[in-house]
Amino acid sequence: MELSTTVTELRYALDTFFFLLSGALVMWMAAGFAMLEAGLVRSKNTTEILTKNFCLYAIACTMYLIVGYNIMYVDNGEGGWLPSFGSLIGTQAEGADHSLESDFFFQVVFVATAMSVVSGAVAERMKLWSFLVFSVILTAFIYPMEGYWTWGGGFLSEAGFSDFAGSGIVHMAGASAALAGVLLLGARKGKYGKNGEIMPIPGSNMPLATLGTFILWFGWFGFNGGSQLMVSDFENATAVGQIFLNTNAAAAAGAIAALAVCKTTWGKADLTMILNGALAGLVAITADPLSPSPVAAVIIGVIAGALVVFSIIGLDKLKIDDPVGAISVHGTCGLFGLMVVPFSNADATFGAQLLGAAVIFCWVFAMSLAVWAVLKYTVGIRVTEEEELAGMDLHDCGIDAYPEFVSVK
């Protein structure tokens, strides 16, 4: 009896530690988003984008603790549409595999990831305070509702929708909110010519963008690996190893595919596209990083890496200005990841996947569009043309990211 109790306690401790370590890796992705976006915006907007990323993480953690987790997980009935809005204050379930607190920590860093997707897409022209207000609403209500319908045991999970680590629930949701914001916000000044020409606006720091992508790639092992939820027995430990392998394979294949598309299309190696190719592979494999074989994971990564390049080009032709390619990486490739799950997972169906993707997109896009519209017609969401020209750093923060390079008149 004593030996059995000791083994149970050891497994509980190991799984709790695994959850916490995975959550810490995902939290580190916040730094990855910050560095990637700081590198892909112009130098005059660097401090502001860093402020957004830092503050949205703090807001997400606070709002999910107070409201969001309650909506998504606490005391909800199975197969429902409406959550119970239960209390986070509770007791540890008897026989639980890990602590309740570690579960919350792992979940809260996911909602911060969804919100991070939005910041890059609306960069360089959105008001800081309007963005932060939207962050409160997305992390407290919009994301937790669709999270309840899926991971929380709501009607989509009952319908057979499968999204292992969040290609749709996290990434496509963030892209849907971003798309709604971009449509109301409009393009940056000078991005599109009078005759429809697309004018490139290069980022300010490619080493920083590359570092950010490596950080995201690294953190994704916690994102996908931690979603197995356990590591304390043979079956789950083996599964985590498979997830790590497939996650890495898809990212590498995505980068190579994007490189190949750039070379054949323009004759050049476009670093920003290559970075987004790796992220596209990561997003796509996230829907199910366990079921595919390593070769299948490579194929998923290759398709996603090529798809993201064409998606970025397509959105530009539609004059949807996304400075970092977030909508294509997380939206287009998130949808692709969801729809390929049935090829390797016999428990998933194309109908259920399509239903889940449609519900997530429609809910997040419609609610986000409504919130953005209210903000636009009350406090406004876009800075003035003069403020945009001078830079968001000067307007919102009063601090230059690179003061040594600012001309003194």
Side-chain angles (χ1 to χ4, degrees):
M1 184 65 178
E2 290 182 1
L3 179 60
S4 175
T5 302
T6 301
V7 171
T8 300
E9 290 177 347
L10 285 173
R11 292 187 61 183
Y12 176 91
L14 179 59
D15 288 333
T16 295
F17 178 73
F18 175 63
F19 242 2
L20 293 172
L21 182 61
S22 297
L25 285 172
V26 180
M27 183 271 173
W28 186 230
M29 290 174 69
F33 278 112
M35 296 300 98
L36 173 65
E37 293 170 18
L40 294 181
V41 301
R42 288 166 288 183
S43 57
K44 64 182 180 180
N45 298 313
T46 305
T47 300
E48 195 264 356
I49 200 70
L50 293 173
T51 304
K52 280 181 178 175
N53 275 273
F54 200 89
C55 292
L56 77 82
Y57 180 80
I59 289 171
C61 291
T62 304
M63 297 312 300
Y64 196 67
L65 174 66
I66 297 172
V67 182
Y69 188 84
N70 305 327
I71 293 174
M72 193 163 168
Y73 286 113
V74 180
D75 299 329
N76 289 326
E78 293 185 2
W81 283 80
L82 293 175
S84 69
F85 299 93
S87 173
L88 182 61
I89 301 173
T91 57
Q92 182 70 35
E94 186 175 347
D97 299 315
H98 51 265
S99 75
L100 177 64
E101 292 78 9
S102 67
D103 178 76
F104 168 80
F105 177 67
F106 186 67
Q107 294 295 333
V108 75
V109 289
F110 273 58
V111 68
T113 299
M115 190 61 223
S116 294
V117 174
V118 183
S119 61
V122 301
E124 300 203 293
R125 73 272 201 206
M126 174 167 277
K127 289 183 177 180
L128 173 63
W129 293 101
S130 296
F131 174 84
L132 296 181
V133 170
F134 179 80
S135 300
V136 171
I137 299 169
L138 179 87
T139 58
F141 179 67
I142 298 175
Y143 172 90
M145 283 296 296
E146 56 99 5
Y148 160 56
W149 295 335
T150 50
W151 288 336
F155 76 97
L156 286 178
S157 64
E158 290 291 301
F161 175 67
S162 178
D163 189 2
F164 185 89
S167 286
I169 298 167
V170 178
H171 296 280
M172 194 180 73
S176 302
L179 177 61
V182 169
L183 291 177
L184 287 179
L185 189 62
R188 291 168 291 175
K189 297 296 180 183
K191 176 62 179 176
Y192 303 111
K194 293 181 179 179
N195 298 319
E197 312 98 315
I198 300 171
M199 312 298 291
I201 302 179
S204 62
N205 195 323
M206 290 302 102
L208 207 58
T210 304
L211 175 62
T213 305
F214 270 122
I215 292 173
L216 287 168
W217 191 333
F218 177 67
W220 229 288
F221 295 119
F223 200 96
N224 287 356
S227 295
Q228 182 62 23
L229 308 183
M230 293 180 65
V231 74
S232 60
D233 58 34
F234 177 86
E235 181 180 356
N236 284 290
T238 303
V240 172
Q242 178 75 16
I243 290 167
F244 271 52
L245 190 161
N246 285 346
T247 299
N248 194 62
I256 293 170
L259 171 64
V261 171
C262 291
K263 178 61 177 176
T264 55
T265 304
W266 301 295
K268 307 272 185 192
D270 186 325
L271 176 61
T272 61
M273 290 294 189
I274 297 168
L275 298 179
N276 277 332
L279 295 176
L282 289 165
V283 169
I285 198 65
T286 293
D288 190 349
L290 177 58
S291 300
S293 67
V295 173
V298 168
I299 294 172
I300 291 170
V302 166
I303 296 173
L307 181 62
V308 75
V309 177
F310 295 116
S311 177
I312 290 172
I313 295 171
L315 289 181
D316 249 350
K317 289 181 178 179
L318 294 172
K319 296 187 177 181
I320 297 175
D321 183 18
D322 178 357
V324 304
I327 297 171
S328 295
V329 170
H330 302 273
T332 304
C333 295
L335 176 61
F336 166 70
L338 289 177
M339 297 313 299
V340 297
V341 170
F343 286 109
S344 57
N345 187 339
D347 295 328
T349 66
F350 290 107
Q353 294 303 97
L354 187 60
L355 172 65
V359 169
I360 291 171
F361 173 77
C362 290
W363 164 256
V364 178
F365 179 81
M367 292 300 299
S368 298
L369 192 67
V371 175
W372 289 126
V374 170
L375 290 171
K376 180 176 181 177
Y377 295 111
T378 53
V379 297
I381 60 174
R382 183 165 185 147
V383 297
T384 65
E385 187 172 347
E386 293 77 15
E387 291 165 343
E388 184 177 346
L389 181 63
M392 306 291 286
D393 290 1
L394 178 63
H395 172 246
D396 282 330
C397 303
I399 301 174
D400 291 310
Y402 309 106
E404 294 88 350
F405 300 99
V406 176
S407 299
V408 179
K409 294 183 179 179

